[in-house]
Amino acid sequence: MPIRIAALASGRGSNLQAILDAIAAGTLDAQVVGVFSDNPDAPALLRVPEALRWARTPKSYGSRAAFDAALGDAIATAAPDWIVCAGYMRILGPDFVQRFQGRLLNIHPALLPKYKGLHTHQRALDAGDSEHGASVHFVTAELDGGPVIAQARVPVLPGDDADRLAARVLAVEHPLLVGVLRLAAAGRLAERDGRAWVDGQPLFTPLSLESLSP
Ligand SMILES: Nc1nc2c(c(=O)[nH]1)N[C@@H](CN(C=O)c1ccc(C(=O)N[C@@H](CCC(=O)O)C(=O)O)cc1)CN2
Ligand SMILES: NCC(=O)N[C@@H]1O[C@H](COP(=O)([O-])[O-])[C@@H](O)[C@H]1O
């Protein structure tokens, strides 16, 4: 039975497209049951049929909590097994996180716990890091502080700027996110006691991209 994925996206949607491509190729047993955005102009929305799109402008809500509640109600209507933040650029409030705790994932463009938040590529460059990468983690109330499931590493190369480094990271984000979703689709992934669990065992070290490849 394919797992039901609700995707949250605020922009381009290349991670969403990687999910859709894996489904179409038969390498991810899933279906995308909705794409939800805080940006009605998000190109990500155009990657799925109109019936699967939900987008609202947060400004039209009285508070972050009110927007999150409307978002959560829309997601719940789609009855997803997993909710994936795939380039979703808003901090989710504690009530939303609690509502979907344990099935909320995020792809973050850094090797957490380094560089939580935004502007991760420039921060890695500014720090003179020789390595950077991406993480897939469970979402918790603490921004980018949830248990990390898997990570992919890339070199920082001479002459890199933020855009060039971001492109190199993005290229590994896609297989990393799909690889973690394959674990979910196989019923092998869970969040328990503040940790990620795979095959009934707690993860003390994030899985590598190489370990996820089919
Ligand atoms: N409660 C959580 N919410 C979210 C998480 C999380 O781990 N816990 N992950 C993020 C994704 N993300 C980084 O991976 C992220 C998204 C948004 C921001 C942020 O500072 N957003 C600002 C608005 C920024 C803007 O509009 O340009 C905000 O919401 O005030 C940081 C990190 C998804 N949500
Ligand atoms: N903090 C969240 C964050 O920065 N997420 C990042 O936004 C990009 C979305 O690209 P996409 O829309 O093409 O998937 C990705 O690089 C993702 O890691």
Side-chain angles (χ1 to χ4, degrees):
M1 190 72 175
I3 57 167
R4 297 169 62 87
I5 295 172
L8 278 61
S10 301
R12 174 184 48 195
S14 74
N15 275 284
L16 167 62
Q17 191 60 54
I19 295 169
L20 295 167
D21 291 347
I23 293 169
T27 58
L28 176 60
D29 187 15
Q31 65 179 112
V32 172
V33 296
V35 177
F36 303 82
S37 184
D38 60 320
N39 172 15
D41 298 324
L45 293 165
L46 303 178
R47 297 181 189 268
V48 294
E50 193 166 359
L52 295 185
R53 303 170 196 164
W54 184 95
R56 296 295 186 280
T57 305
K59 292 190 182 74
S60 59
Y61 291 80
S63 67
R64 185 180 292 266
F67 176 80
D68 278 359
L71 173 66
D73 290 347
I75 290 171
T77 302
D81 299 303
W82 292 89
I83 298 101
V84 180
C85 294
Y88 185 67
M89 300 309 287
R90 280 181 64 81
I91 298 170
L92 294 161
D95 292 344
F96 182 99
V97 172
Q98 188 176 16
R99 184 173 184 180
F100 299 106
Q101 187 91 51
R103 40 196 188 119
L104 258 177
L105 300 173
N106 180 51
I107 176 89
H108 181 74
L111 295 174
L112 292 170
K114 293 184 83 171
Y115 312 129
K116 298 176 182 177
L118 298 174
H119 316 300
T120 65
H121 310 300
Q122 191 57 56
R123 291 157 67 188
L125 290 168
D126 294 345
D129 291 354
S130 59
E131 200 178 48
H132 191 40
S135 304
V136 176
H137 64 96
F138 282 102
V139 170
T140 63
E142 181 197 345
L143 183 62
D144 300 330
V148 179
I149 302 160
Q151 293 185 319
R153 296 169 179 275
V154 299
V156 178
L157 299 176
D160 269 349
D161 58 16
D163 288 343
R164 197 172 298 173
L165 183 55
R168 192 172 308 124
V169 171
L170 194 63
V172 296
E173 288 183 36
H174 298 158
L176 188 70
L177 181 57
V178 170
V180 169
L181 288 172
R182 265 198 217 101
L183 292 177
R188 299 175 57 192
L189 180 64
E191 181 187 16
R192 206 163 38 241
D193 306 330
R195 282 198 182 281
W197 291 59
V198 173
D199 297 335
Q201 295 298 320
L203 276 186
F204 293 95
T205 308
L207 300 174
S208 66
L209 174 59
E210 294 69 27
S211 73
L212 294 174
S213 53

